Amino acid sequence: TVFRVFTLTALSLRLALFFPEGNECISANAKYCGECIQAGAKCGWCKDPFLKQGETVSTRCDEIQSLRNKGCAEDMIENPRGDQTVLRDKAVTNRDITQIQPQKISLTLRSGEPQSFTLKFKRAEDYPIDLYYLMDLSYSMKDDLENVKNLGTHLMLEMSKITSDFRIGFGSFVEKTVMPYISTTPAKLLNPCTGDQNCTSPFSYKNVLRLTSDGKKFNTLVGQQHISGNLDSPEGGFDAIMQVAVCGDLIGWRNVTRLLVFSTDAGFHFAGDGKLGGIVLPNDGKCHMENNIYTMSHYYDYPSIAHLVQKLSDNNIQTIFAVTEEFQPVYKELKNLIPKSAVGTLSANSSNVINLIIDAYNSLSSEVILENSKLPEGVSIAYTARCKNGVVNEGENGRKCSNISIGDEVRPERDCVWKAVQKNKSETIKIKPLGFTEEVEIVLKFVCECDCHKEGIPNSKHCHFGNGTFECGACKCNEGRVGRQCECSSNDVATEDMDRTCRKDNGTDICSNNGDCVCGTCECKKRENPEERYSGQFCQCDNFNCDRSNNKLCGGHGRCECRVCICDYPWTGSACDCSLDNSTCMASNKQICNGRGICECGTCKCTDPKFQGPTCETCPTCPGVCTEHKECVQCRTFGTGEKKDTCERDCSYFNLIKERDANDCWFYYTYAVNNNTEKEVHVVETLDCPAGPDIIPIVAGVVAGIVLIGLALLLIWKLLMIIHDRREFAKFEKEKMNAKWDTGENPIYKSAVTTVVNPKYEGK
């Protein structure tokens, strides 16, 4: 079974959120090597004086590959790594109390770099057990007490099948000894039970028997106990659990498996409930026992659940809640909050308590859960467990493996990573399996400086008359000094005179708006992309604003310097997209562009308009550019030649075009260029005429006669149509003159105009 533990820093998570796609090395803006290597595991520092004019000292800090690309020599890159050393490594055995290996490790952590190591846990055989039985002695548990009186010897007998070294102890609890919890009158303090029942005075917690291997003594002392009583149903068991956990010497706990059996038939009070009795001080988590009695129940409130979880874990105590059926849901929820705890159903009279304890112990001991102590600032841990039968657990479940038997091995593997929190001294953390006393001590050391830091020269002459330490190829300025060489006082960096020296002329911005003026010198801004850089005395240059070709800077065939492409051979042009190599222009006849063009940027430009193609060798308008098709032309034209029998099969791959002369006769010729670039024309001497020359005039006369007859017929048809149209128009005019129209008015018509006369109007 394997546990893998990853340690990350809280700050590294915040950086990941703030710079989701950025370069953490550039974002750190590191001024010296130690700052740089703390920015991330990929960051390195270049000691080589490779900076261009205008670039800041922080440009030395970048990802390793980027530094190589910038020209930094491999042996000049500072990139310290972490390591690990096993300090104590005692082997685990079946019958030894050593169950985890190794016991002590030293890790040297580089920021952001994981360190992996393996732990081995092996559950030992015949491991000693201490069991403390904590019982509720309120009145409702009267019949349970009778069965528990004989628990000692019977439980010793059963546990002897598991271990030869078993001890048992007993304690009891009721409630806080304040009036509202136990009685309404002072008289009830002596005997809180009703009727003639003989009950003992109430108490918060009493240690009846410290851990012992004498089962008969357990029976005797438990047999002398009496029940008590209180008013409300919840009991003060949390007070008792706290004292059992923190009073180790009084209880007699050894560094072995520690079991606490908590037996009750009621719920529990917790932090805040003490206000009912006027108790407001929070529980202090310390031992307050006198004569085996908890004496501060009236002074301190009940502990909180979280407080109990902490104390039980600190003292390696595993809790078994033996409760009645009615309160099973409540204590199962409580179990989910307390690691390495179990819940068993107690019968009405506790007759099944031995089987309950055995089953709960087997369940607890078969599960291994890892926990760690408080982590230093910037460190957190995540777990991955590789358990039996190939089961892999991650996240919170990665802390544990189940179904572990005696002799089974658990192998936790850890990756530790630290980031960006300054550590001047080592830290120690502990990791242990819950419920066991064995633990692994891990000493953490942190890489905060580069190796070249040790070679630094204080008050070096390289740093402007000793105003800084020359370290790792750069000046680390003394307090109050700034500049690449610490040449300025921090009080003078923003003066107007200095700003003037950072302008190319009066019409330009300070440092071309691409940098800051520090000590009269431009320090250029850094880009998010580490490959892109501003440079120059006034930050007027960059390596990313050159011409592009095919969406590539300088066509991918050069480098950009101060916004101008410096092309690789054999490329030229503003975007390095013009090749000087003329091999691509070479025609099959070994001539550049077939002698019919010029080669520009590796491409032929044909000067003869009839020719085209990559090397000016194609002539679509030329009837023939070679004689290799002779047989096919012969068979398709004349039906003769070597291929006359296979002409249709072999010679259908081209269109045959014939030319006519002035007498309508076909003639054939070829046009080609030989290897000496001489033009050759081959002409077939015999013309192909469709008929003799005497028939031509006859055909022409017939055609002319047909044309004349057609024209005569067309004129006759036109004349007839004109006569017909004139007759129809005259008939229409005559009928129009003879027409008479009825001029009567519509009988239902009413005028839309109404005339009203003013009776007073006299025409004046």
Side-chain angles (χ1 to χ4, degrees):
T1 305
V2 176
F3 287 87
R4 193 178 191 86
V5 181
F6 305 87
T7 309
L8 304 174
T9 70
L11 184 55
S12 71
L13 298 180
R14 291 197 294 271
L15 285 173
L17 292 174
F18 191 71
F19 303 108
E21 297 178 356
N23 184 320
E24 58 187 354
C25 310
I26 292 178
S27 302
N29 198 30
K31 297 296 188 298
Y32 60 93
C33 190
E35 268 188 335
C36 177
I37 63 171
Q38 292 182 44
K42 298 179 180 179
C43 301
W45 177 269
C46 183
K47 300 182 293 184
D48 195 20
F50 76 116
L51 297 181
K52 294 184 178 180
Q53 187 177 27
E55 291 186 322
T56 63
V57 173
S58 59
T59 306
R60 294 179 179 275
C61 181
D62 207 336
E63 294 183 356
I64 304 300
Q65 188 57 48
S66 295
L67 291 176
R68 296 189 185 112
N69 296 341
K70 291 176 181 178
C72 186
E74 191 73 31
D75 59 347
M76 299 298 286
I77 297 177
E78 280 287 315
N79 184 28
R81 314 312 300 178
D83 60 15
Q84 58 182 273
T85 305
V86 176
L87 303 178
R88 189 164 60 248
D89 192 23
K90 184 179 179 182
V92 298
T93 60
N94 281 334
R95 301 189 61 85
D96 194 356
I97 61 172
T98 302
Q99 297 183 111
I100 195 164
Q101 177 189 3
Q103 294 77 39
K104 188 173 182 179
I105 303 174
S106 174
L107 296 182
T108 301
L109 299 180
R110 159 79 186 273
S111 175
E113 178 192 23
Q115 287 292 324
S116 300
F117 61 95
T118 301
L119 300 180
K120 180 192 296 184
F121 176 84
K122 186 174 184 179
R123 184 181 164 195
E125 182 182 352
D126 195 25
Y127 197 72
I129 299 173
D130 284 352
L131 184 147
Y132 192 84
Y133 196 93
L134 184 59
M135 184 174 181
D136 175 9
L137 285 189
S138 59
Y139 187 78
S140 58
M141 294 287 286
K142 180 179 179 181
D143 53 346
D144 299 82
L145 180 59
E146 294 301 320
N147 285 311
V148 174
K149 289 179 179 179
N150 296 317
L151 177 65
T153 53
H154 292 163
L155 187 58
M156 293 287 291
L157 180 62
E158 291 298 324
M159 293 301 290
S160 65
K161 301 175 183 178
I162 298 174
T163 176
S164 60
D165 189 358
F166 176 72
R167 298 198 310 169
I168 190 171
F170 184 83
S172 59
F173 66 91
V174 180
E175 188 54 275
K176 285 185 178 293
T177 55
V178 290
M179 295 289 291
Y181 292 107
I182 58 176
S183 176
T184 57
T185 63
K188 287 289 186 179
L189 286 174
L190 295 178
N191 187 0
C193 300
T194 59
D196 57 352
Q197 296 293 330
N198 184 19
C199 295
T200 188
S201 299
F203 54 91
S204 177
Y205 163 65
K206 182 189 300 182
N207 176 36
V208 177
L209 175 65
R210 68 181 274 124
L211 290 163
T212 178
S213 57
D214 188 349
K216 293 181 179 179
K217 185 176 182 181
F218 179 94
N219 293 349
T220 301
L221 291 178
V222 174
Q224 297 172 0
Q225 302 305 304
H226 298 282
I227 60 171
S228 184
N230 63 323
L231 289 179
D232 59 347
S233 176
E235 312 295 0
F238 276 16
D239 273 342
I241 293 176
M242 177 61 75
Q243 294 303 301
V244 171
V246 299
C247 299
D249 293 338
L250 181 69
I251 303 300
W253 292 117
R254 298 177 295 171
N255 287 330
V256 297
T257 298
R258 299 174 177 181
L259 300 178
L260 171 62
V261 179
F262 182 84
S263 176
T264 184
D265 64 351
F268 48 82
H269 285 296
F270 53 88
D273 288 353
K275 292 180 180 179
L276 181 61
I279 303 174
V280 295
L281 286 178
N283 196 288
D284 65 352
K286 296 180 180 179
C287 183
H288 298 287
M289 300 288 291
E290 292 183 11
N291 298 322
N292 289 318
I293 300 292
Y294 178 41
T295 59
M296 301 297 284
S297 66
H298 64 289
Y299 191 77
Y300 290 115
D301 193 6
Y302 302 99
S304 65
I305 295 175
H307 201 179
L308 276 183
V309 170
Q310 177 193 347
K311 292 302 181 181
L312 289 171
S313 175
D314 290 346
N315 293 280
N316 301 310
I317 297 174
Q318 305 176 63
T319 310
I320 301 172
F321 296 105
V323 298
T324 55
E325 184 71 34
E326 178 183 0
F327 289 94
Q328 281 285 308
V330 175
Y331 282 90
K332 284 183 178 179
E333 290 296 325
L334 181 60
K335 168 191 173 296
N336 294 333
L337 301 175
I338 302 178
K340 292 293 284 184
S341 63
V343 177
T345 303
L346 191 66
S347 61
N349 58 3
S350 297
S351 59
N352 68 330
V353 68
I354 292 180
N355 291 334
L356 185 154
I357 293 172
I358 298 296
D359 292 342
Y361 169 75
N362 289 331
S363 174
L364 291 172
S365 60
S366 66
E367 183 177 58
V368 177
I369 302 177
L370 295 183
E371 71 166 0
N372 52 268
S373 60
K374 184 178 179 180
L375 300 172
E377 182 183 2
V379 179
S380 62
I381 298 180
Y383 296 80
T384 297
R386 304 185 186 278
C387 306
K388 290 175 63 176
N389 303 320
V391 177
V392 178
N393 295 330
E394 296 180 339
E396 277 304 306
N397 290 330
R399 291 176 173 268
K400 61 184 178 181
C401 281
S402 302
N403 301 320
I404 305 300
S405 304
I406 293 175
D408 287 344
E409 287 187 358
V410 177
R411 294 181 178 269
E413 296 181 1
R414 287 171 171 77
D415 285 347
C416 294
V417 185
W418 163 75
K419 182 161 185 167
V421 179
Q422 183 68 39
K423 298 288 184 182
N424 295 321
K425 61 180 181 178
S426 63
E427 302 274 0
T428 300
I429 62 174
K430 295 182 179 180
I431 297 177
K432 68 176 183 178
L434 277 176
F436 297 90
T437 57
E438 288 86 357
E439 62 186 13
V440 179
E441 182 180 353
I442 303 174
V443 180
L444 301 179
K445 300 177 182 178
F446 306 96
V447 180
C448 297
E449 291 289 353
C450 299
D451 294 337
C452 58
H453 167 72
K454 303 173 185 176
E455 303 169 3
I457 305 173
N459 304 319
S460 170
K461 63 180 181 180
H462 297 290
C463 302
H464 197 262
F465 304 108
N467 285 318
T469 300
F470 190 72
E471 176 184 304
C472 302
C475 285
K476 187 176 181 181
C477 298
N478 297 336
E479 187 175 356
R481 304 297 297 184
V482 294
R484 182 180 289 192
Q485 295 179 336
C486 310
E487 64 270 28
C488 291
S489 168
S490 57
N491 298 325
D492 301 332
V493 293
T495 63
E496 188 173 335
D497 289 339
M498 288 186 178
D499 286 348
R500 188 179 299 114
T501 63
C502 293
R503 297 179 189 269
K504 189 173 183 180
D505 52 56
N506 290 336
T508 58
D509 293 327
I510 295 176
C511 299
S512 305
N513 203 29
N514 294 324
D516 300 316
C517 186
V518 179
C519 296
T521 303
C522 285
E523 290 192 355
C524 302
K525 296 177 182 177
K526 289 187 291 184
R527 303 271 297 178
E528 185 68 21
N529 184 347
E531 304 300 327
E532 298 177 354
R533 306 164 74 180
Y534 290 112
S535 61
Q537 181 181 355
F538 306 103
C539 302
Q540 75 278 14
C541 296
D542 63 60
N543 66 347
F544 54 88
N545 273 322
C546 290
D547 290 344
R548 294 175 179 266
S549 178
N550 294 326
N551 202 31
K552 294 181 179 179
L553 192 68
C554 298
H557 302 128
R559 65 186 185 278
C560 181
E561 291 188 4
C562 204
R563 304 185 179 183
V564 176
C565 284
I566 307 299
C567 302
D568 300 331
Y569 182 81
W571 296 91
T572 186
S574 63
C576 300
D577 54 352
C578 180
S579 174
L580 299 176
D581 182 11
N582 59 11
S583 61
T584 56
C585 296
M586 192 69 67
S588 58
N589 58 9
K590 305 302 181 182
Q591 289 191 329
I592 300 297
C593 300
N594 197 30
R596 293 181 172 84
I598 57 176
C599 185
E600 293 183 358
C601 299
T603 302
C604 281
K605 289 189 177 181
C606 303
T607 55
D608 189 335
K610 293 184 296 181
F611 286 84
Q612 55 185 251
T615 54
C616 302
E617 292 183 277
T618 304
C619 180
T621 61
C622 299
V625 293
C626 61
T627 59
E628 61 184 359
H629 310 295
K630 173 182 175 182
E631 290 80 5
C632 284
V633 172
Q634 185 178 9
C635 78
R636 288 187 59 178
T637 305
F638 305 108
T640 61
E642 296 179 0
K643 294 188 177 182
K644 66 178 182 178
D645 297 329
T646 60
C647 191
E648 184 177 354
R649 183 192 69 190
D650 297 341
C651 300
S652 59
Y653 58 87
F654 63 89
N655 295 325
L656 184 64
I657 300 174
K658 301 178 182 180
E659 297 291 338
R660 295 177 183 271
D661 63 5
N663 296 322
D664 202 32
C665 291
W666 300 101
F667 66 96
Y668 304 93
Y669 67 92
T670 63
Y671 174 92
V673 179
N674 61 23
N675 291 336
N676 296 324
T677 70
E678 298 174 344
K679 300 175 182 177
E680 295 180 349
V681 178
H682 299 270
V683 182
V684 179
E685 295 181 353
T686 305
L687 292 173
D688 184 7
C689 299
D694 296 338
I695 199 172
I696 294 177
I698 299 174
V699 173
V702 172
V703 171
I706 293 173
V707 171
L708 291 174
I709 293 172
L711 290 174
L713 292 174
L714 182 62
L715 292 173
I716 294 171
W717 174 80
K718 182 64 176 176
L719 180 61
L720 291 175
M721 290 302 298
I722 292 172
I723 295 171
H724 174 73
D725 289 344
R726 288 180 176 178
R727 286 178 178 176
E728 289 294 321
F729 182 72
K731 182 179 178 181
F732 170 74
E733 288 290 331
K734 183 179 180 181
E735 290 178 349
K736 185 174 72 170
M737 293 176 62
N738 295 332
K740 294 181 180 181
W741 303 97
D742 188 2
T743 58
E745 292 184 357
N746 189 341
I748 65 173
Y749 170 75
K750 290 184 180 182
S751 175
V753 180
T754 303
T755 303
V756 179
V757 179
N758 188 345
K760 298 291 186 179
Y761 177 68
E762 297 177 355
K764 297 179 182 181

